Amino acid sequence: AGPAVKEERRETRSYGDLFQYCKSNLGNGLGVCGFGGDKNQTIIFQNRHNNQPVIEICDEAFKGKDIQEAILTDGIAFLGKGVFADCRRLHQVILPSSIREIGDRSMENCNMLKSVTLPVGLERIGSDVFKGSGLRTVTFPNALYWIGEGAFADCQELNNIILPKNIDRISAKMFEGCSNLRKFEMSEFVTEIGDKAFYRCESLDMIYIPDSVTMIGDDAFSNTSKQFIIQCSFGSYAEQYARKHKV
């Protein structure tokens, strides 16, 4: 029993050394750019290495890998572009409260990822972050002020979205191809709905557009439900749009 305990302790001490690190360009600290361990189904990302803080996971560091669970330790603030893209078996990502930004395509095509808890301090979600993933519902933190183009495109199991008040623009293709999206709510601060924002949202049959919206892009609501209606105020930009497009 004695040697087994010693071996277990030695593995615990050396776990952080299985990661490859590089200097971060996003602040004073390191970024994780790879992992050399054989058991990579569950990866627990450390927040320090050689007495230096680890603040990011670098671009495409784990793209296409056989990861099933990713657990990030508090202190990591940035997920790079394409970090977990095409990780087809990834079903759980635990993000710490320190995360501020999720880079473009970070979890694109992670079709087994059904849910994710976005931390309260998250400020930015990049383009195509969850495109083609298996997300069913998303709860947004109030600190979030930016969601990029196509961030939730082709999430075919997504059915309910309530945007936080700080989001004043629905980017192009944000929910394109979300064929099961049935309920969507935006705040009174949204001013713009981008091109193809809800294109091919076949289950979306109603949306309320506030008076604050003064621009709706091309094909924003094309190929939605045949019963699709826009609720809006008389004389608003949304009413003019609806009449022009025979909605």
Side-chain angles (χ1 to χ4, degrees), residues 83-179:
V83 168
F84 300 116
D86 301 323
C87 291
R88 303 286 182 173
R89 300 183 68 190
L90 183 68
H91 62 84
Q92 178 168 262
V93 177
I94 297 178
L95 301 174
S97 59
S98 53
I99 288 288
R100 295 292 176 265
E101 181 173 342
I102 301 177
D104 300 348
R105 308 182 309 281
S106 287
M107 287 167 254
E108 182 179 23
N109 296 327
C110 294
N111 55 299
M112 289 191 68
L113 186 66
K114 304 300 182 184
S115 65
V116 63
T117 300
L118 300 178
V120 294
L122 181 65
E123 298 172 349
R124 291 179 59 91
I125 294 176
S127 299
D128 300 324
V129 167
F130 297 104
K131 183 177 180 180
S133 73
L135 287 184
R136 293 172 177 165
T137 59
V138 180
T139 301
F140 297 103
N142 290 329
L144 187 69
Y145 69 85
W146 178 259
I147 303 176
E149 294 187 5
F152 297 93
D154 297 322
C155 292
Q156 296 183 7
E157 296 188 50
L158 195 62
N159 57 51
N160 182 14
I161 289 289
I162 301 175
L163 288 185
K165 292 182 178 180
N166 285 337
I167 298 295
D168 62 2
R169 180 177 183 269
I170 300 174
S171 300
K173 302 180 181 180
M174 191 184 288
F175 300 101
E176 178 184 4
C178 293
S179 55

Side-chain angles (χ1 to χ4, degrees), residues 41-231:
Q41 286 80 16
T42 297
I43 296 183
I44 302 173
F45 292 88
Q46 309 294 292
N47 60 10
R48 295 194 70 83
H49 177 68
N50 288 341
N51 293 321
Q52 295 187 69
V54 176
I55 63 171
E56 72 164 312
I57 316 298
C58 299
D59 293 356
E60 300 188 354
F62 296 87
K63 181 179 180 181
K65 301 296 184 181
D66 194 33
I67 301 174
Q68 297 179 30
E69 296 177 289
I71 302 170
L72 280 68
T73 311
D74 198 47
I76 299 173
F78 307 99
L79 283 185
K81 297 178 181 178
V83 168
F84 300 116
D86 301 323
C87 291
R88 303 286 182 173
R89 300 183 68 190
L90 183 68
H91 62 84
Q92 178 168 262
V93 177
I94 297 178
L95 301 174
S97 59
S98 53
I99 288 288
R100 295 292 176 265
E101 181 173 342
I102 301 177
D104 300 348
R105 308 182 309 281
S106 287
M107 287 167 254
E108 182 179 23
N109 296 327
C110 294
N111 55 299
M112 289 191 68
L113 186 66
K114 304 300 182 184
S115 65
V116 63
T117 300
L118 300 178
V120 294
L122 181 65
E123 298 172 349
R124 291 179 59 91
I125 294 176
S127 299
D128 300 324
V129 167
F130 297 104
K131 183 177 180 180
S133 73
L135 287 184
R136 293 172 177 165
T137 59
V138 180
T139 301
F140 297 103
N142 290 329
L144 187 69
Y145 69 85
W146 178 259
I147 303 176
E149 294 187 5
F152 297 93
D154 297 322
C155 292
Q156 296 183 7
E157 296 188 50
L158 195 62
N159 57 51
N160 182 14
I161 289 289
I162 301 175
L163 288 185
K165 292 182 178 180
N166 285 337
I167 298 295
D168 62 2
R169 180 177 183 269
I170 300 174
S171 300
K173 302 180 181 180
M174 191 184 288
F175 300 101
E176 178 184 4
C178 293
S179 55
N180 271 315
L181 184 63
R182 291 178 172 84
K183 183 179 179 181
F184 181 86
E185 295 181 23
M186 70 185 89
S187 78
E188 299 286 342
F189 300 101
V190 172
T191 60
E192 179 180 337
I193 299 174
D195 297 345
K196 294 187 175 181
F198 297 92
Y199 183 69
R200 290 190 293 109
C201 291
E202 299 165 359
S203 299
L204 188 65
D205 56 13
M206 189 276 288
I207 193 168
Y208 168 72
I209 300 180
D211 294 350
S212 55
V213 172
T214 56
M215 201 288 286
I216 299 176
D218 294 338
D219 292 317
F221 300 105
S222 294
N223 290 40
T224 48
S225 168
K226 293 179 180 179
Q227 289 80 38
F228 179 71
I229 63 172
I230 290 176
Q231 287 190 347

Side-chain angles (χ1 to χ4, degrees), residues 4-19 35 44 46 48:
V5 172
K6 290 181 180 179
E7 181 66 27
E8 182 180 342
R9 288 176 179 171
R10 184 159 59 245
E11 286 181 4
T12 302
R13 285 199 304 270
S14 62
Y15 182 77
D17 296 329
L18 296 174
F19 293 94
F35 181 74
I44 302 173
Q46 309 294 292
R48 295 194 70 83

